[in-house]
Amino acid sequence: MINLGMEPPPTASSSGTAEKAFSFLSKGWREVRDSAGADLQLMRARANSFKSLADRELENFLHSASAFSAPPRPPVEGSIAELEFVKRIQPKLSDIRRAYSSPEFSRKVLEKWSPKSTIRIDLSGIRNAIVAEVDEVGAVLDLSKDGVRGPVRRRVRWKGEEKEKEWEPIRLLKTRLKELERKSQSSEIFGNFKSSDFVEKVKLSLKSICKEPQESKEVPPLDLPELLAYLVKQSGPLFDQLGIRRDICDKIVEALCSRRKDQLLCHSLSEKEASLLENGNINDELDLRIASVLQSTGHHYDGGFWTDPIKNDTEEKKHHVAIVTTASLPWMTGTAVNPLFRAAYLAKSAEQDVTLVVPWICKSDQELVYPNGMTFSSPEEQEVFIRNWVEERVGFKADFKISFYPGKFSKERRSIIPAGDTTQFIPSREADIAILEEPEHLNWYHHGKRWTDKFNHVVGVVHTNYLEYIKREKNGAIQAFLVKHINNWVMRAYCHKVLRLSAATQDLPKSVICNVHGVNPKFLKIGEKIAAERERGELAFSKGAYFLGKMVWAKGYRELIDLLAKHKNELEGFKLDVYGNGEDSHDVQSTARKLDLNLNFLKGRDHADDSLHGYKVFINPSVSDVVCTATAEALAMGKFVICADHPSNDFFRAFPNCLTYKTSEDFVARVKEAMANEPQSLTPEQRYNLSWEAATQRFMEYSELDRVLSNNNDESSEGGKFNSIKAIKKSISMPAFSDVVDGGLAFAHYCLTGSEILRLSTGAIPGTRDYDKQHCMDLHLLPPQVQNPVYGW
C-alpha cells in the first residue's frame, strides 16, 4: 500500500474516471434492484409451496394419529375423528388453516420479509468492483448519503483482487430455501417430526384415550358359565358319594368352559401363565382363571381351613422318601416283599434318601405271623435279616434306612394294625414324601397327625381287594358297603395321589390304575437259564401243572375246586400239584378228597425253589387278587400261565405265554393247549417290563414323584412346569371346596378314632390308639403321653 501525502487537484483524467465510476454505480444499483425483485418473487413462490406442503403434512399427521392411536387388534368403535379430544381441537385447527391460507396472511408475511424503503446495503461488493475498475489509481472513493461524490479522502487503502461475492442475506436465504425444498421432497422434515419425542408423547396420549377394555389390567369378573363350571368341579366329592361318574362332571366343566377357553388364555392370564397352559387341560385353565380374579382383588391364599399353612420344607436339595407298609419279612406277603424292593430300587439311584418304615410286633405276635416259628428279640436283629434277604436277591447293596413303628396282629383279620400315631416315627426333618403301602389299611384306625399336613406329597399304593374278601364273610354285603365308604373317606383325607395296581380294586378318589410292582430279579435269571437250556436242545420242563398260594379259600382255591369238579371228565388224567399253607388247609383238602379230584397237596414253598423250576404250566384261577405276584413270577420263569379273564390280570395279557379264559369250557381248552405246546421265550423288552427297574419307572411317572423330585433341580423342565402351575394356583387361589371337604373328613376321622368305644365297635384291636409298655421297651420309646390336639382352633 502507498500513502500519498497531499491530495492533488482534480484533473481531466480524474474527472473522466469519476464519470465512469458513477456510470458503473448506477448500472450496479439497477442490477441489484432487479435481482432483489426476482428473489422476492421466488420467495413468494417458495412460501406458497411451503404452505401447500404444510397443509398436506398436517392432513397426513391427523391420519397417522388416527392410525397409531388404535391398537392393532379389534378396532375401537368409531374413528379417531369421533373422539372428544379431536372434536375439541378441530375448530381451532380449521381457524389456523384458514388464517394462514388467506392471501392477507401471505401478504403480511411477505411484507415483513421484504426490504423496507431504507435499505442498508453493504457496499463492500461495489467497493471491490470500483477498486477493480480503477486499479491503476488504486484509491477508494467514498460517497455521501445523497449520492454526490465527496472529496477524496486522505486515507486511501489499496486492496488486492477478490472474487465477486453474492449479497450475504440473499445467499443465505437461497441456501436455506434450497435445503428446505430438498428436505420436503425427501420427507425428511416430517419424517423427523413424526419420530420426535413430542409425537411419541401424543401417540401415547391417544392410546390411553382409545385403549380397548380388553387390554386393561383389570381382570374381567367371572361370568355365569365359569361360576357353574367351578361349582361342578368343586362338587366332585359330593358327586362321588352320589355315584355320579367323574368323567361326566369333567365333560360338563369342559362344555361350560369351551367357549371361554381362548379368552381365558388371552385376556385373563399373564403371558407366563398362558405359556404354562399351552398343553394344559380345561381344569388347570379354570383354576388359573379363578386365581387371577382373586389376585386382582388382592387376595392371597395362605392355607386351608383344616390344614397347616406351612409344610415341612427340606433344607437340603435332596429329597427324603418314607415308604410305610403294613407287613415285614419274614412274613412272605405282598405288602412285605414289594415295598422292600421298591425301597431298594428307589435308593439305588442315590437321587433321594429312602426310609422303609415297617411294623414291629411283639414276640407273642411274631409266633402267630412269621413262618416256621421264627422270632426276633430286637428290631436290629430283624433289620439284619431283612437286608440280607433283599441284597441276596437284587444283587447290590440296599442303601436305605429301616425304621420300625409299633403294631399289633389281628387274628380275625389276619393283618397287622398300627398302634399309636405312625407319623411320629418319621422325623420332621425327613417328612418330605410319604408312600403309604395299603393306605386304607394304615388309616382305618389312624389317630394322629394328618399325613398330608406333615408331608409335602403323599402317595397311596393299593395292594389288596378288601371288598372281595369281605363279601365272602358273614353279612359280607353290608360290611363291604361300609368298608367301601370308609376307604373313600380315608383316601380322600390322607392322600394326594392313589395308585391302584389294577381295576380289580374299588374306584377310589384321586386314583389312577398302573401296575407298579416288578418281579424279583431271581425269577428273571431262572427264566434266562431255562431259555438257554431250551436253545441247547435240553429238556427244560419235565413236569406238568401246579398251583401255589396261601391256602385260604379267598386265594383262588374255591374257583379251582369248582372248575376241576365241573370238568372232571374232560380233564381225565390231568394232575395238578398244589403248594400252600394256611388257615383253610384242612377244609380245602377234605373238600378235594370228597370230590375225588386229582390234586396233590404239598407244603408251601418259595416260588424260586429248585423243585418248582421244572413245571411248565402255572394255573391261577383267583379273582380276588389285585395283581398276583406268583403269576408275574411264573411268566418271568418262562412258563405258561392260565388265569381268568379278570381286571387283575390285565397287565399280563400282553405276554404270549399268558392264556386267559372267560368260561369253564375255555379253562379246559386252555389247559389242553398249554399241556400240548411249549411256551415261547421272553424277548428282552418283555423281561424289562417285568423287572423292578421298569416298575420303578412307572411308579415315578404315575405317582408324579418324578415331577416332585425334579422341582429343585430343573425349574424349566416338565416338573418345573407342573410345580409352577401348582404354585400359581396355591399362592393366589382360595381353598378349593374339595380341600375343605378333605380337611373336614380328616378332622371328623380324628375325632371318631379317638373314642375307644367306637374303635372297638368297628373291629379295632383293644389298646391300639396308643402303643403299650412292651413296645416302649422293644423300641426304646418313652411312655405315651397326652399330646396337644392335632387340629387346633
Side-chain angles (χ1 to χ4, degrees), residues 301 303-308 735 739-740 743-744 791-793:
Y301 176 66
F305 182 74
W306 305 102
T307 58
D308 295 339
D739 294 338
V740 174
Y791 294 89
W793 296 94

Side-chain angles (χ1 to χ4, degrees), residues 302-339:
D302 292 324
F305 182 74
W306 305 102
T307 58
D308 295 339
I310 301 176
K311 297 281 185 73
N312 296 305
D313 295 328
T314 54
E315 298 179 356
E316 304 175 0
K317 289 185 177 180
K318 199 170 185 179
H319 286 269
H320 296 266
V321 179
I323 302 176
V324 187
T325 187
T326 58
S328 177
L329 295 179
W331 191 10
M332 300 301 295
T333 183
T335 53
V337 174
N338 291 312

Side-chain angles (χ1 to χ4, degrees), residues 707-708 710-711 715 718-728:
R707 297 178 178 181
V708 175
S710 64
N711 185 29
E715 288 294 335
E718 187 70 18
K721 175 180 172 181
F722 167 79
N723 287 284
S724 298
I725 294 175
K726 185 177 180 181
I728 291 171

Side-chain angles (χ1 to χ4, degrees), residues 210-374:
C210 306
K211 194 169 186 179
E212 288 184 293
Q214 288 86 345
E215 292 192 357
S216 174
K217 292 183 179 180
E218 296 182 0
V219 179
L222 297 172
D223 56 17
L224 182 59
E226 289 174 323
L227 290 173
L228 291 176
Y230 196 68
L231 178 61
V232 172
K233 181 177 180 293
Q234 296 301 322
S235 301
L238 177 62
F239 293 147
D240 284 344
Q241 298 300 326
L242 295 176
I244 300 176
R245 288 164 42 190
R246 279 175 289 177
D247 57 343
I248 297 177
C249 299
D250 293 339
K251 290 180 181 178
I252 295 174
V253 172
E254 185 175 358
L256 290 171
C257 295
S258 59
R259 296 182 180 180
R260 291 278 293 169
K261 183 174 181 179
D262 295 337
Q263 297 178 4
L264 290 177
L265 292 175
C266 296
H267 305 307
S268 300
L269 306 178
S270 66
E271 293 181 2
K272 179 181 178 181
E273 295 169 359
S275 65
L276 292 174
L277 293 178
E278 287 180 356
N279 299 320
N281 54 39
I282 195 67
N283 288 325
D284 286 336
E285 295 170 14
L286 181 60
D287 286 342
L288 285 180
R289 165 71 170 140
I290 300 295
S292 299
V293 174
L294 289 173
Q295 186 184 36
S296 66
T297 65
H299 172 78
H300 186 86
Y301 176 66
D302 292 324
F305 182 74
W306 305 102
T307 58
D308 295 339
I310 301 176
K311 297 281 185 73
N312 296 305
D313 295 328
T314 54
E315 298 179 356
E316 304 175 0
K317 289 185 177 180
K318 199 170 185 179
H319 286 269
H320 296 266
V321 179
I323 302 176
V324 187
T325 187
T326 58
S328 177
L329 295 179
W331 191 10
M332 300 301 295
T333 183
T335 53
V337 174
N338 291 312
L340 179 58
F341 280 114
R342 196 183 328 278
Y345 280 90
L346 281 177
K348 183 181 179 181
S349 64
E351 295 180 358
Q352 56 276 329
D353 293 328
V354 179
T355 300
L356 178 64
V357 187
V358 297
W360 168 262
I361 55 179
C362 301
K363 271 194 175 183
S364 57
D365 287 337
Q366 293 179 25
E367 295 173 354
L368 299 175
V369 178
Y370 299 151
N372 303 321
M374 185 180 297

Side-chain angles (χ1 to χ4, degrees), residues 447 489 745-759:
H447 182 72
W489 185 348
L745 291 174
F747 177 74
H749 186 263
Y750 176 82
C751 294
L752 294 175
T753 55
S755 172
E756 188 68 17
I757 297 176
L758 290 176
R759 293 173 67 92

Side-chain angles (χ1 to χ4, degrees), residues 456-472:
N456 297 314
H457 190 61
V458 181
V459 180
V461 182
V462 179
H463 290 246
T464 308
N465 188 358
Y466 286 105
L467 299 184
E468 184 65 28
Y469 293 135
I470 293 173
K471 288 178 183 178
R472 300 170 185 264

